[in-house]
Amino acid sequence: MIFALTYDLKNEESSAAYTPLLEELRRRGGHRYQASAWLVNVNNKVEEVHAHFKKLMDSNDSLWVSELTGIHSGSGLQPGTVQWLKANPPCR
């Protein structure tokens, strides 16, 4: 299942505190499609995905996780986003 993760970090993302979060997103084959937004393809429930990534963040950071079921269109996306979605199509 494809999930979109968006976050609001209270500290600078370059802080060493966020290294585990970013490494885990990359380890899971995630794709960053905007500055604070990633796509990840995992076989879990949305609640499990949220809990997993939230534990890698500071307690005062915000995290939103949504399951994608289709794509309408996009603009201003990071390079490779369309290719990533073609390789990891959302469920319909």
Side-chain angles (χ1 to χ4, degrees), residues 1-3 41-43 67-71 88-92:
M1 291 174 270
I2 305 298
F3 295 95
N41 185 357
V42 294
N43 191 23
E67 183 180 350
L68 274 90
T69 57
I71 301 297
N88 299 276
C91 300
R92 294 211 182 253

Side-chain angles (χ1 to χ4, degrees), residues 39-73:
L39 296 170
V40 65
N41 185 357
V42 294
N43 191 23
N44 296 88
K45 295 179 182 176
V46 68
E47 298 86 0
E48 295 168 332
V49 175
H50 185 276
H52 178 73
F53 286 100
K54 182 64 177 165
K55 72 181 180 187
L56 301 173
M57 304 169 71
D58 290 343
S59 62
N60 61 341
D61 294 333
S62 300
L63 175 64
W64 177 269
V65 178
S66 300
E67 183 180 350
L68 274 90
T69 57
I71 301 297
H72 174 65
S73 65

Side-chain angles (χ1 to χ4, degrees), residues 6-25:
T6 58
Y7 50 77
D8 183 15
L9 307 177
K10 301 306 179 193
N11 295 310
E12 291 295 319
E13 187 177 281
S14 59
S15 165
Y18 297 118
T19 300
L21 171 66
L22 299 173
E23 287 179 351
E24 180 66 1
L25 285 163

